[in-house]
Structure formats: structure tokens, C-alpha cells
Amino acid sequence: MPYLRRREGHTPMYVCICRAVTENEVHDCIASGARSARQIRDLTGAGGDCATCVRKICAMLKRAEELVATA
């Protein structure tokens, strides 16, 4: 899978404030094979509380799919 926006010296942003899940953690889940927001929730807890982050997680999943399709 293509490298997903992980940069040295870059402070990762939180995707899920409720569970303190960062972009890097979500990218790691995607790189490990997660293909849905539910799978990411099961691995990290993100989206299990207020669900505000689910839209962001879905956007990250879509972007990953687009990167794979163009690779």
C-alpha cells in the first residue's frame, strides 16, 4: 500500500478526540488491512463514542483506496 502522509517531525493530528486516536494510528490500521470505519473502530475505539470522527475516518479510507487504484 502506498505511504499515507506519515512524515518525520510531523505532529499527528487527532482524528478522534474522545479516544485520543491520531491520524498515524488510523493510517497504520489502513496499512494493516482495515477497509471500513467499523474495522478501525474495533482496532482503535475511534468512532465508538460520539462518532463525530467517522466522517474523517471514511475520508481517510477513501483516499487510501484512491491511492491504491492509481498505483
Side-chain angles (χ1 to χ4, degrees), residues 27-50:
H27 287 308
D28 288 345
C29 290
I30 294 169
S32 295
R35 296 291 174 261
S36 70
R38 178 172 284 155
Q39 289 174 329
I40 292 172
R41 182 201 64 208
D42 291 346
L43 293 168
T44 66
D49 290 320
C50 75

Side-chain angles (χ1 to χ4, degrees), residues 54-67:
V54 173
R55 191 174 291 187
K56 173 70 174 172
I57 292 168
C58 289
M60 293 170 76
L61 286 161
K62 184 176 180 182
R63 177 71 178 135
E65 289 174 14
E66 291 170 354
L67 288 173

Side-chain angles (χ1 to χ4, degrees), residues 7 13 15 17 34-35 40 43 52 56-57 68:
R7 297 174 284 174
M13 298 297 293
V15 172
I17 301 299
R35 296 291 174 261
I40 292 172
L43 293 168
T52 301
K56 173 70 174 172
I57 292 168
V68 169

